[in-house]
Amino acid sequence: MLAMYGRTWAVFLGGILLLQVLQLAVGLDNGLALKPPMGWMSWERFRCLTDCQLYPDECISEKLFSRHADLLVSEGYAAAGYEYVIIDDCWLEKNRDNDTQKLVPDKKRFPSGLNALSDHIHEKGLKFGLYQDYGTNTCAGYPGVIKHMQLDAQTFADWDVDYVKLDGCYANISDMATGYPEFGRLLNETGRPMVYSCSWPAYQEDAGEMPDYESLKKHCNLWRNWDDIDDSLESLMQIMDYFAKNQDRIQPHGGPGHWNDPDMLLLGNYGLSYDQSRLQMAIWAIMAAPLIMSNDLAAVRPEIKDILQNRAVIAVDQDELGIQGRRVLSRNQIEVWQRPITPVAKSGHHSYAVAFVSRRDDGAPYRIPFTVKELGLTNPKGYRVQDLYNARNKLGVFQSESQFITRVNPNGVTFYKFTAL
Ligand code: GLA
């Protein structure tokens, strides 16, 4: 009798194990992020400012996030597609609740609790994102999820979270390839759809390991490939170079539901000029990157706001095919980046977004001709060309043998749509 019970029990346990393995194999498949997510996140601009007496408008607090939810709507960003309001690091108490072991938001800085904040964000028609870390601690030293994964996934669902950024500080890099999918499965099991942003490849790349992009595609909606962005042209260029040099192994994996993430937009802060701001926006659109701003939305100058809300550029980023672009050519320190987009001509030829990036600093805007063919565009019927930063600049029709001349400002960009005829 006992032996029979033992067998039944073993079959039962085996069944559960099999189900879990199957779920892991099936992957996230949550139907989310079919286009690169757009929104606003605290980290790049507001870091871990926690002194609300000294910095009442900048500290990581419910006020900062509800103010930015309001600004996303009142300043027109929501209408342009920016949707997620994401709390990055430094929102937690240093300890979990003694009795329940639940995560506790900082009591002084989030006195109303995260449900009240998420309600406010949802009432504005926006979505709520939250940062946590796979390891024992977040990068800034707050408690991480590793020993409480199920409880934390459920707590996120209870707070009506729509987007989770899971960082990878204070963790074993060798555990990440199984641990991140496991947390994704637990998020799924709550029944609440949550976009899942993984940082595991960034940590692997840093340690000289090769991320398994097939697994990432299956288990995460987006992933940070590499280092953090900082507020400078140098940092921006390093990230662009990293993506360009590694494009053969990175680019094919971006697509609807699973995106490469080169990190936040710097626009509206201190480090980028007007031209450099246009440059980041154009290249992020070429890379089908998530468009996550990190700035003080009350302080963005009007000309920078126009770039952030440029509908033609956003449309490239959000193109429904979701094919990530590449750097295809570099001549005289002018780089050509292009991305296949819609509409696709009856002949099967794609339209393209093409960005010319100047890495030059020799003063005058640099004039440079390319044949359209050299840009990788070979539609026999040619292309109608439109300047994405200047709708009034109608450039007409170009054949693949035609010469296309552009003039790029130092450390700047020109950005065009070539619509296949
Ligand atoms: C890491 C991440 C950043 C940010 C910080 C917070 O560095 O890559 O994006 O979340 O941690 O501590």
Side-chain angles (χ1 to χ4, degrees):
M1 190 68 170
L2 262 183
M4 206 177 88
Y5 274 133
R7 254 201 317 274
T8 317
W9 190 231
V11 170
F12 177 65
L13 279 182
I16 290 189
L17 206 70
L18 185 69
L19 269 179
Q20 290 193 340
V21 169
L22 279 179
Q23 256 170 329
L24 270 183
V26 167
L28 195 61
D29 198 19
N30 58 10
L32 299 173
L34 296 180
K35 300 196 167 163
M38 295 176 65
W40 181 94
M41 177 151 75
S42 49
W43 181 255
E44 200 291 317
R45 168 63 179 81
F46 296 99
R47 301 282 154 151
C48 198
L49 293 175
T50 49
D51 188 338
C52 293
Q53 298 226 296
L54 203 53
Y55 305 112
D57 296 330
E58 291 173 84
C59 65
I60 302 303
S61 65
E62 61 186 37
K63 264 178 70 196
L64 181 74
F65 297 96
S66 78
R67 178 163 79 82
H68 276 84
D70 296 349
L71 285 162
L72 278 172
V73 175
S74 64
E75 296 292 314
Y77 293 95
Y82 295 91
E83 187 179 22
Y84 292 94
V85 179
I86 306 161
I87 305 182
D88 207 287
D89 207 347
C90 306
W91 58 274
L92 280 159
E93 284 283 329
K94 286 277 169 152
N95 293 303
R96 289 173 177 269
D97 182 276
N98 244 340
D99 301 327
T100 63
Q101 291 304 306
K102 279 192 185 172
L103 294 165
V104 184
D106 186 279
K107 288 177 185 150
K108 287 212 186 80
R109 292 181 283 115
F110 294 86
S112 318
L114 291 195
N115 278 114
L117 180 59
S118 95
D119 284 351
H120 177 77
I121 290 169
H122 289 137
E123 275 156 24
K124 289 270 156 189
L126 301 168
K127 296 204 163 119
F128 177 42
L130 195 56
Y131 166 101
Q132 244 296 1
D133 188 287
Y134 170 64
T136 54
N137 290 88
T138 73
C139 294
Y142 297 84
V145 303
I146 195 135
K147 293 197 190 112
H148 302 89
M149 298 219 287
Q150 190 163 21
L151 175 65
D152 292 354
Q154 188 54 51
T155 309
F156 286 3
D158 296 342
W159 283 332
D160 295 332
V161 168
D162 305 295
Y163 178 120
V164 174
K165 169 178 174 180
L166 196 68
D167 208 347
C169 275
Y170 302 106
N172 281 335
I173 294 172
S174 51
D175 294 345
M176 290 181 174
T178 52
Y180 269 84
E182 168 71 1
F183 194 69
R185 185 181 67 76
L186 292 166
L187 288 176
N188 256 2
E189 265 183 17
T190 66
R192 183 172 178 85
M194 291 183 251
V195 170
Y196 187 31
S197 162
C198 299
S199 297
W200 118 64
Y203 288 85
Q204 289 184 331
E205 293 266 348
D206 229 31
E209 287 177 25
M210 283 292 144
D212 176 353
Y213 280 101
E214 287 309 322
S215 173
L216 274 160
K217 274 158 79 170
K218 212 188 278 172
H219 297 294
C220 303
N221 294 118
L222 64 155
W223 50 82
R224 282 281 309 283
N225 304 72
W226 201 55
D227 282 357
D228 291 5
I229 198 160
D230 288 322
D231 198 359
S232 70
L233 179 66
E234 190 192 3
S235 171
L236 170 59
M237 294 287 192
Q238 278 169 1
I239 291 176
M240 285 169 50
D241 282 338
Y242 175 82
F243 275 79
K245 282 182 189 144
N246 295 288
Q247 60 192 3
D248 286 347
R249 61 189 186 83
I250 290 178
Q251 177 269 346
H253 304 298
H258 43 87
W259 307 100
N260 292 296
D261 177 9
D263 211 2
M264 289 160 264
L265 291 170
L266 299 170
L267 286 81
N269 294 315
Y270 311 104
L272 300 187
S273 69
Y274 177 70
D275 280 284
Q276 294 159 2
S277 300
R278 300 216 310 189
L279 168 55
Q280 188 186 19
M281 195 71 186
I283 295 305
W284 260 229
I286 289 277
M287 290 201 287
L291 298 179
I292 310 284
M293 302 180 281
S294 185
N295 49 17
D296 185 338
L297 286 177
V300 176
R301 293 197 308 274
E303 69 273 23
I304 302 294
K305 180 172 152 182
D306 286 349
I307 305 172
L308 284 165
Q309 296 190 11
N310 182 312
R311 299 298 202 273
V313 174
I314 291 173
V316 171
D317 180 78
Q318 301 281 298
D319 185 77
E320 67 193 68
L321 298 177
I323 304 170
Q324 187 174 330
R326 286 172 168 249
R327 183 164 79 188
V328 291
L329 194 65
S330 182
R331 185 189 300 155
N332 300 356
Q333 290 179 273
I334 304 292
E335 297 176 352
V336 180
W337 292 67
Q338 51 101 306
R339 172 176 177 188
I341 53 173
T342 55
V344 180
K346 282 204 190 93
S347 58
H349 286 266
H350 285 96
S351 300
Y352 285 84
V354 184
F356 299 88
V357 173
S358 172
R359 309 288 287 245
R360 304 178 67 92
D361 51 17
D362 54 340
Y366 191 78
R367 186 174 190 274
I368 186 161
F370 292 94
T371 60
V372 170
K373 202 167 53 183
E374 275 181 309
L375 309 174
L377 281 60
T378 55
N379 180 21
K381 294 220 163 110
Y383 302 85
R384 183 178 312 283
V385 183
Q386 169 194 351
D387 184 336
L388 292 172
Y389 277 126
N390 182 0
R392 276 168 302 167
N393 189 10
K394 303 253 185 277
L395 293 139
V397 171
F398 289 73
Q399 303 302 325
S400 61
E401 303 294 335
S402 318
Q403 212 179 42
F404 185 82
I405 300 175
T406 189
R407 192 163 181 247
V408 200
N409 293 350
N411 291 310
V413 72
T414 53
F415 196 22
Y416 306 95
K417 178 172 176 180
F418 285 70
T419 302
L421 297 173

